[in-house]
Amino acid sequence: GAVVSQHPSRVICKSGTSVKIECRSLDFQATTMFWYRQFPKKSLMLMATSNEGSKATYEQGVEKDKFLINHASLTLSTLTVTSAHPEDSSFYICSAGTSGSQETQYFGPGTRLLVL
Amino acid sequence: GESVGLHLPTLSVQEGDNSIINCAYSNSASDYFIWYKQESGKGPQFIIDIRSNMDKRQGQRVTVLLNKTVKHLSLQIAATQPGDSAVYFCAENFSYDKVIFGPGTSLSVIP
């Protein structure tokens, strides 16, 4: 099946710094990518939809200036957590699909962010 | 808002027994559903999907049943193995592939 990678897999940063997380589709082109966050023992919560070449669409309650999303190519989307705080510590997961029709989403392995 | 939910947050089964994980959804307009398996510290892994024009779909050791009348979805795992221990999520695929997850069920297999 299709492979989605994320980098880094784990990151620890100081409060107030910014962290960039990359999501790549390795063997297919993804017109749409999605970003989720997951707290321990909780479900995945959709944060935003990343569309190649256009602005991301954010879910209600997600601050777009806090979580910057860039989808510059058909194989790469980035999520930047700006001015990170301890409450931003979470597991961030991306997924990618191949088209606008209902196709299976492929998930990345996740990025564990810890803000000290 | 509309959401996808689960009946049981945890499930323990004996190795070799069959497992049934249930899910209730509330969006009657949804027409595509997916089951994912998530192991600790990893991303969700696709297990099986089903479209609303079907009521049953089988894979290898897994079967998904869809009852649109009562908006209920279930995942059946035959001959459950220790490697099946994980959290299972049902998910609802909205337009443009937007996937909304249910709260999840933790499956624990007892050797």
Side-chain angles (χ1 to χ4, degrees):
Chain A
V3 178
V4 176
S5 70
Q6 283 184 239
H7 178 79
S9 58
R10 291 185 181 141
V11 57
I12 300 173
C13 70
K14 292 182 179 180
S15 185
T17 61
S18 294
V19 176
K20 180 185 284 188
I21 302 170
E22 295 184 348
C23 176
R24 293 182 185 272
S25 55
L26 298 185
D27 50 3
F28 67 100
Q29 293 185 329
T31 53
T32 306
M33 291 182 172
F34 299 88
W35 287 96
Y36 297 81
R37 66 186 298 182
Q38 184 179 31
F39 292 107
K41 300 190 185 300
K42 298 293 184 181
S43 186
L44 283 76
M45 297 300 297
L46 180 65
M47 298 175 67
T49 302
S50 172
N51 301 296
E52 187 269 335
S54 64
K55 291 183 178 180
T57 303
Y58 291 81
E59 295 299 303
Q60 190 174 7
V62 178
E63 299 175 58
K64 61 180 181 181
D65 295 329
K66 172 76 173 177
F67 300 99
L68 300 179
I69 292 173
N70 183 280
H71 194 156
S73 76
L74 287 171
T75 60
L76 174 65
S77 175
T78 61
L79 169 68
T80 300
V81 183
T82 62
S83 187
H85 291 282
E87 57 266 30
D88 297 324
S89 298
S90 189
F91 194 48
Y92 291 88
I93 305 170
C94 72
S95 71
T98 55
S99 70
S101 63
Q102 287 183 334
E103 296 291 339
T104 301
Q105 288 291 303
Y106 298 95
F107 284 81
T111 296
R112 178 77 60 192
L113 170 63
L114 176 60
V115 185
L116 301 177
Chain B
E2 301 197 86
S3 64
V4 181
L6 289 174
H7 292 171
L8 297 172
T10 60
L11 177 66
S12 294
V13 296
Q14 203 73 37
E15 181 179 358
D17 287 351
N18 296 334
S19 302
I20 299 176
I21 301 172
N22 296 303
C23 176
Y25 66 94
S26 57
N27 188 345
S28 56
S30 296
D31 58 1
Y32 180 52
F33 304 90
I34 317 105
W35 280 100
Y36 290 95
K37 173 185 180 183
Q38 186 181 30
E39 297 175 327
S40 180
K42 298 182 179 179
Q45 176 187 358
F46 172 88
I47 301 174
I48 193 168
D49 59 0
I50 188 167
R51 299 190 185 276
S52 60
N53 60 353
M54 305 171 68
D55 53 19
K56 181 179 180 179
R57 190 162 188 225
Q58 287 184 296
Q60 188 176 14
R61 283 201 307 119
V62 294
T63 301
V64 55
L65 299 177
L66 175 62
N67 186 330
K68 294 182 289 294
T69 302
V70 295
K71 288 184 276 188
H72 183 268
L73 196 67
S74 69
L75 176 70
Q76 300 177 2
I77 304 174
T80 312
Q81 303 169 359
D84 294 327
S85 293
V87 177
Y88 290 81
F89 294 97
C90 67
E92 185 177 6
N93 193 319
F94 280 53
S95 60
Y96 300 103
D97 303 319
K98 182 170 154 178
V99 176
I100 303 299
F101 284 76
T105 292
S106 177
L107 175 65
S108 178
V109 181
I110 304 167

